[in-house]
Amino acid sequence: MALIDLQNISKHYSAQKILTDVNFHVDEGERIVIIGKNGSGKSTLMKIVNGTLEQDGGERIMKQNLEVKMLDQRPNFKDGDTVREAVEAGLDELNRAKSRYEELSLLLAEDFDNKKTIDEHENLSRYIEHHNAWNLDDKVERIIQHFDLKKYENKPITLLSGGEQRRVALASLLLQKPDVLLLDEPTNHLDVYMVEFLEELILKEKFTLVFISHDRYFIDKIATKSIEVEECSLREYSGGYSNYLSQKAEYIRTLQKQHDNLLGVLKRENEWYARGVRARLKRNEGRKERLMTLREDAKNNPAKIRKMSVELQREAKHFNRDKSINKQKMLFEVENLGLTLGSKELLKNFTTRILQKDVIAIVGPNGSGKSTLLKALLGRMKPTVGTIKQGDFKIGYFDQHREMLDDSKNLMETFCPHGGDRVSVRGKDLHVYGYLKNFLFPREFLEKKIGILSGGEKNRIALALLFTKDVDILILDEPTNDLDIPTINILEEQLTNFTGAVIIVSHDRYFVDKIAKKLFIFQKNKEIEESHQQYSEYLELEKELRELDAMESNACEVKQKDIIREKPKTLKLTFKEKIALEKLPLEIDTLENKMKEKNRCLADPKCYEEIGITALAKELQEIEEIYEQKVEELLTIQEKEENILKR
């Protein structure tokens, strides 16, 4: 039985239909992403799953005593609570369970035949195990550290910003680990390091999860199933974002020609994903292999670990050579720049040149100074030290507060302030509706006031307006916030076609990988490192270097303590491993043939229409998972065999 089962659910607001006769279920261990355009009904579906919104028709069936919790967009906290108290607010029941478990353990030590005590002790053990709450104090401390809440832990929660309060609410829910966790845009207000921690925690603790997100790398890493809300219906795809792209493209190929434009977007997106991610994985194979060998071969040898660290740093420097074309027009010349906000130093010793065709992403942790650097480039903040020389050019600026919009004006007045119904976009004379249609606005929106639009709709208007300006450089501060994935695809296409320079601040790794040609990376020492590698690849290298630092530190501790290790036992393959060494290559070959067969079927409409594209994709995913397990098992045994031969 499913944990939550929605059967023939319908929902409408006044005359507008949102969901019509849809079915949706959540099984234990599933991590389901809900995707679709803004306004399609994603949040409505989530609230019905949560039970906080009543459906107009159909039935919501839930397993008895199921604990379902949802991250609110605007969380509520108890008056007077500090940040730490707010994080720990939902842990009272777990703490009581642990205290009772310890009491019963002492009782059983004296009377181990009491069946009632034994049963209660076992039930509490299962409850604590399910919530992974044996080391609750350590978990609280770890999550406060990783969500950058330590410096606020004794401050009243009311003093924090909205984004910081969302991090507190998310931390509390993750610690409680309900039976089903519902998250609406969980990566908003998280920097890339917090997102990385969130991904690892969700996977490690095996959450049952339903979530909405526009972070495509997060979706791809976390989701086991994708549910698209479109035209009041639900469509299911197996796996994360990359699977959704390929399966949706196959689905659209079976529909009429009116879907050609969407198919083109999906095809470009899928090709970029396959090219970028697979190429990066291929490049990383050798490095990963060396790193894994090092873990086994040099755990207590700082010199070897240091050698690997040097290799990784050299690899990173390979990307950091200046690849700019010096003949390009200079826009900004930055010399020895330093920025201080209040008493906090944000940046020092920054020297660079920004040229007319540069596409730059400014990245780094929350609060590191990214938006402040933008303000300095825009002339809205004077450098503390150093200089910024600016050429003769026009700037188009998009900020998180959408300062270019006037809430009292409608869309026609916004785009045609001098009358008429035409707008110029990169030399083309277009009708306003024809242009706004590209940003997913229907005709009836033309007379709507900006003030009544949602945050996501305002962002789309601000971006559409920005691309009508005759500018030499676009400066964008967190442009993907509050946007759905279809709109982000439009933004990416507009930026790709823009002929001038682009500077963006963003935590969206997928967006940065796809758009940026150069990175300005804020470092812990308040300096900026310039790099031409993809951001996700930089983060992978950085993570590996951190792991090597930890390994070197542990190795040094071992050496300092002069631990006497036991003489290694004679290493040899077990009988089971010898058999597996013979059988696994044949099994792997068989699985490879099956994968080829399934992929051929996916490319053949006659084949996949007969079987069903969703079922076929699910079969392929299951085969791929078994294949990965078999390959991993074989590699482990082969590595052990090599070590035996070396001895």
Side-chain angles (χ1 to χ4, degrees), residues 214-322:
H214 68 262
D215 185 328
R216 290 160 287 181
Y217 279 149
F218 180 77
I219 293 171
D220 214 36
K221 187 158 188 179
I222 296 301
T224 58
K225 184 164 72 177
S226 302
I227 299 293
E228 184 175 32
V229 187
E230 189 175 40
E231 297 178 348
C232 305
S233 299
L234 305 185
R235 187 170 291 109
E236 180 180 321
Y237 302 93
S238 61
Y241 186 66
S242 57
N243 279 20
Y244 159 74
L245 285 174
S246 57
Q247 292 171 43
K248 181 70 183 281
E250 290 294 340
Y251 167 73
I252 291 174
R253 283 193 185 99
T254 66
L255 301 180
Q256 300 171 5
K257 288 184 178 180
Q258 65 189 37
H259 294 280
D260 284 352
N261 289 337
L262 179 54
L263 179 57
V265 170
L266 284 164
K267 185 179 178 182
R268 287 194 299 275
E269 183 81 342
N270 199 25
E271 285 173 351
W272 180 87
Y273 186 92
R275 184 173 67 251
V277 175
R278 287 174 188 166
R280 186 166 70 251
L281 289 172
K282 193 171 181 180
R283 285 199 301 274
N284 289 347
E285 280 177 1
R287 188 177 72 235
K288 289 283 187 184
E289 189 177 340
R290 294 197 304 276
L291 185 62
M292 296 310 293
T293 301
L294 184 73
R295 289 185 193 282
E296 299 303 317
D297 194 39
K299 283 181 179 175
N300 299 316
N301 191 331
K304 288 186 179 181
I305 297 170
R306 201 175 299 114
K307 181 175 180 289
M308 179 63 180
S309 182
V310 169
E311 283 182 25
L312 285 177
Q313 287 167 350
R314 188 183 297 120
E315 184 173 344
K317 286 176 183 176
H318 166 74
F319 293 95
N320 298 344
R321 297 192 299 272
D322 189 0

Side-chain angles (χ1 to χ4, degrees), residues 434-445:
Y435 175 59
L436 287 179
K437 189 168 58 172
N438 295 326
F439 287 84
L440 309 180
F441 283 104
R443 188 181 289 274
E444 57 266 26
F445 268 69

Side-chain angles (χ1 to χ4, degrees), residues 271-384:
E271 285 173 351
W272 180 87
Y273 186 92
R275 184 173 67 251
V277 175
R278 287 174 188 166
R280 186 166 70 251
L281 289 172
K282 193 171 181 180
R283 285 199 301 274
N284 289 347
E285 280 177 1
R287 188 177 72 235
K288 289 283 187 184
E289 189 177 340
R290 294 197 304 276
L291 185 62
M292 296 310 293
T293 301
L294 184 73
R295 289 185 193 282
E296 299 303 317
D297 194 39
K299 283 181 179 175
N300 299 316
N301 191 331
K304 288 186 179 181
I305 297 170
R306 201 175 299 114
K307 181 175 180 289
M308 179 63 180
S309 182
V310 169
E311 283 182 25
L312 285 177
Q313 287 167 350
R314 188 183 297 120
E315 184 173 344
K317 286 176 183 176
H318 166 74
F319 293 95
N320 298 344
R321 297 192 299 272
D322 189 0
K323 301 179 182 179
S324 300
I325 301 170
N326 292 327
K327 291 180 182 178
Q328 290 180 25
K329 178 182 175 183
M330 192 275 293
L331 302 182
F332 293 101
E333 189 165 12
V334 180
E335 187 72 34
N336 196 34
L337 181 64
L339 296 172
T340 301
L341 204 58
S343 59
K344 184 180 179 183
E345 183 182 41
L346 298 173
L347 178 62
K348 64 182 181 182
N349 306 327
F350 182 45
T351 298
T352 194
R353 297 171 78 233
I354 298 173
L355 306 178
Q356 69 185 79
K357 292 188 178 179
D358 278 342
V359 182
I360 300 166
I362 302 173
V363 295
N366 282 347
S368 56
K370 302 183 295 297
S371 295
T372 305
L373 175 56
L374 288 190
K375 289 177 183 175
L377 292 173
L378 289 163
R380 301 184 179 192
M381 178 179 179
K382 290 184 178 179
T384 310

Side-chain angles (χ1 to χ4, degrees), residues 99-111:
S99 296
R100 179 59 178 163
Y101 178 85
E102 289 165 4
E103 288 175 14
L104 294 173
S105 297
L106 293 173
L107 289 173
L108 286 172
E110 297 174 1
D111 182 9

Side-chain angles (χ1 to χ4, degrees), residues 24-26 30-34 209-211 224-227:
F24 178 90
H25 65 272
V26 183
E30 281 192 314
R31 298 184 297 274
I32 303 169
V33 62
I34 303 173
L209 179 68
V210 181
F211 67 103
T224 58
K225 184 164 72 177
S226 302
I227 299 293

